[in-house]
Amino acid sequence: LQADDVESKIREIIPPGFCTNTDDFVSLLEKEVNFKPFGMLLHTYSIHNEEAGEDITYQIYKADMTCPGFREYHERLQTFLMWFIETASFIDVDDERWNYFLVFEKYNKDGATLFATVGYMTVYNYYVYPDKTRPRVSQMLILPPFQGEGHGAQLLETVHRYYMSSPTVLDITAEDPSENYVKLRDFVLVKLCQDLLCFSPVKLMQGFSQEMVTEAQQKLKINKQHTRRVYEILRLRATNMGDAEQSRSYRLDIKRRLIGPYKKKQRELAKMRRCLRPEEMTNQLNQIDLNMQREQLEESFQQLVSEYRRVLERLAQA
């Protein structure tokens, strides 16, 4: 059998100069002692490592293409997207509206301070008329050896805090977020919002309000849709689900939001009734449709509550 030409496929993704044998790779590792993170240090944090029996230090930096050597580093770094994110694609690094946020592990070896790449995020700054920007998270990757340790939450919260200080930022969004990213965002935004006065237990029980929308956007750069989700999670925490009245009030509040698409479908059915013959729109068909909608609505509600409980469990452990 003839071996596949693996290198030709790799050349389509990885920049020229990659190693093709172990000896060359090991010799290059010796130069890692000279590596220093790019850009401006935003945040330093520690995570206890059970295996090592000590706290490991990590740092988050903001970089751009004006940093010497960063362009070449990013060309190699972004190739990891192709191995771990199914719909990944490379970005136009010549567009100055991109921001880059990088996570590094800081450790000591043989008396030298070294840095290992943990992950990174790219954010594109969209223009919003007349004088605002809307940062949109495009790509986010924590490398497999570091996943499950809380680095994604640290990175996303740091990025939010970075943009919160800018008066020209309207709010922060994400491009085609994955299910895992939505869970991560829920945790981070709830953590940020829980201390705002508008999310006090008393106000949560009074229902979703414009005050929540305004304060979350002005102070934390969170849009209305995400604020509503934060409200629902925090109200669940403030609700005694063992109390019939509180449980019913919470369930109806959530379902009033969830029922929006079903009401739209009912409006479409109403238009069809005006166009179709009566025998084509029988009462029996309508009843089956309504029953199905009720089942789907209850299923959606139970799924949401399950997701919200996981966020609250993680928040309690943070």
Side-chain angles (χ1 to χ4, degrees):
L1 295 177
Q2 184 175 357
D4 294 333
D5 186 3
V6 177
E7 286 188 24
S8 66
K9 294 297 181 183
I10 291 178
R11 288 192 192 97
E12 298 175 4
I13 300 174
I14 299 181
F18 59 84
C19 297
T20 56
N21 67 71
T22 305
D23 291 338
D24 289 345
F25 180 72
V26 171
S27 65
L28 286 174
L29 289 179
E30 297 174 359
K31 299 179 181 179
E32 290 296 298
V33 69
N34 299 318
F35 175 81
K36 294 292 183 290
F38 302 94
M40 174 178 60
L41 175 62
L42 297 180
H43 179 51
T44 299
Y45 62 98
S46 297
I47 294 179
H48 185 73
N49 187 291
E50 293 291 344
E51 185 177 341
E54 60 181 357
D55 291 342
I56 307 297
T57 300
Y58 300 90
Q59 294 182 331
I60 299 177
Y61 287 77
K62 176 187 174 293
D64 56 48
M65 288 301 158
T66 63
C67 300
F70 179 67
R71 179 182 291 267
E72 293 74 21
Y73 169 82
H74 178 263
E75 282 185 355
R76 300 192 301 275
L77 178 63
Q78 69 177 348
T79 62
F80 283 103
L81 296 171
M82 297 302 178
W83 313 123
F84 302 116
I85 299 180
E86 186 175 352
T87 59
S89 60
F90 293 158
I91 63 176
D92 179 11
V93 296
D94 292 321
D95 191 332
E96 297 179 353
R97 285 174 288 187
W98 284 107
N99 284 339
Y100 307 84
F101 300 87
L102 308 118
V103 188
F104 297 96
E105 176 189 346
K106 183 180 180 182
Y107 64 101
N108 295 316
K109 183 179 180 181
D110 299 329
T113 300
L114 303 178
F115 294 88
T117 301
V118 173
Y120 82 114
M121 175 191 290
T122 58
V123 180
Y124 192 79
N125 296 288
Y126 280 90
Y127 168 71
V128 178
Y129 180 85
D131 59 352
K132 301 286 186 181
T133 59
R134 174 174 283 126
R136 178 183 291 179
V137 176
S138 175
Q139 301 159 321
M140 181 177 181
L141 175 66
I142 301 298
L143 295 175
F146 302 96
Q147 290 177 5
E149 298 179 354
H151 300 293
Q154 290 281 353
L155 177 56
L156 185 56
E157 182 176 345
T158 299
V159 170
H160 260 272
R161 292 190 181 279
Y162 171 78
Y163 287 115
M164 278 160 45
S165 62
S166 174
T168 62
V169 170
L170 183 64
D171 52 40
I172 304 168
T173 62
E175 178 184 339
D176 192 23
S178 66
E179 182 179 339
N180 287 334
Y181 179 85
V182 172
K183 293 177 182 177
L184 175 67
R185 182 174 63 195
D186 284 344
F187 168 72
V188 170
L189 297 190
V190 169
K191 182 182 176 185
L192 290 172
C193 287
Q194 63 180 345
D195 295 326
L196 295 180
L197 291 177
C198 63
F199 288 105
S200 66
V202 173
K203 293 192 175 183
L204 286 168
M205 301 307 287
Q206 295 173 356
F208 188 58
S209 67
Q210 183 58 42
E211 180 187 5
M212 296 174 182
V213 175
T214 302
E215 192 168 359
Q217 184 174 51
Q218 290 180 350
K219 293 184 177 181
L220 303 176
K221 310 301 182 183
I222 302 174
N223 65 28
K224 182 177 181 179
Q225 179 184 356
H226 299 161
T227 302
R228 170 72 197 201
R229 194 169 170 96
V230 167
Y231 153 77
E232 292 177 0
I233 296 172
L234 288 176
R235 179 164 178 180
L236 176 62
R237 186 173 68 176
T239 299
N240 178 8
M241 296 301 282
D243 183 287
E245 183 57 34
Q246 288 190 33
S247 176
R248 179 178 179 275
S249 176
Y250 180 76
R251 185 175 65 255
L252 291 177
D253 188 45
I254 303 301
K255 287 187 175 182
R256 274 193 291 269
R257 177 181 67 82
L258 293 176
I259 205 170
Y262 298 104
K263 287 184 175 180
K264 180 181 178 181
K265 189 174 182 179
Q266 287 297 323
R267 290 194 294 268
E268 293 173 350
L269 285 173
K271 293 179 182 179
M272 292 173 63
R273 290 190 186 97
R274 293 195 293 268
C275 301
L276 300 178
R277 294 190 300 273
E279 58 269 23
E280 294 175 312
M281 296 292 293
T282 63
N283 290 332
Q284 183 179 3
L285 179 60
N286 289 337
Q287 186 61 39
I288 293 175
D289 185 64
L290 288 173
N291 288 336
M292 184 179 299
Q293 288 183 8
R294 291 192 188 99
E295 291 176 4
Q296 291 174 345
L297 188 62
E298 179 63 22
E299 184 180 343
S300 296
F301 171 74
Q302 294 297 339
Q303 182 178 347
L304 266 185
V305 170
S306 178
E307 293 174 3
Y308 292 171
R309 289 192 189 280
R310 284 194 291 269
V311 174
L312 293 175
E313 288 171 4
R314 181 177 181 183
L315 194 64
Q317 297 170 0

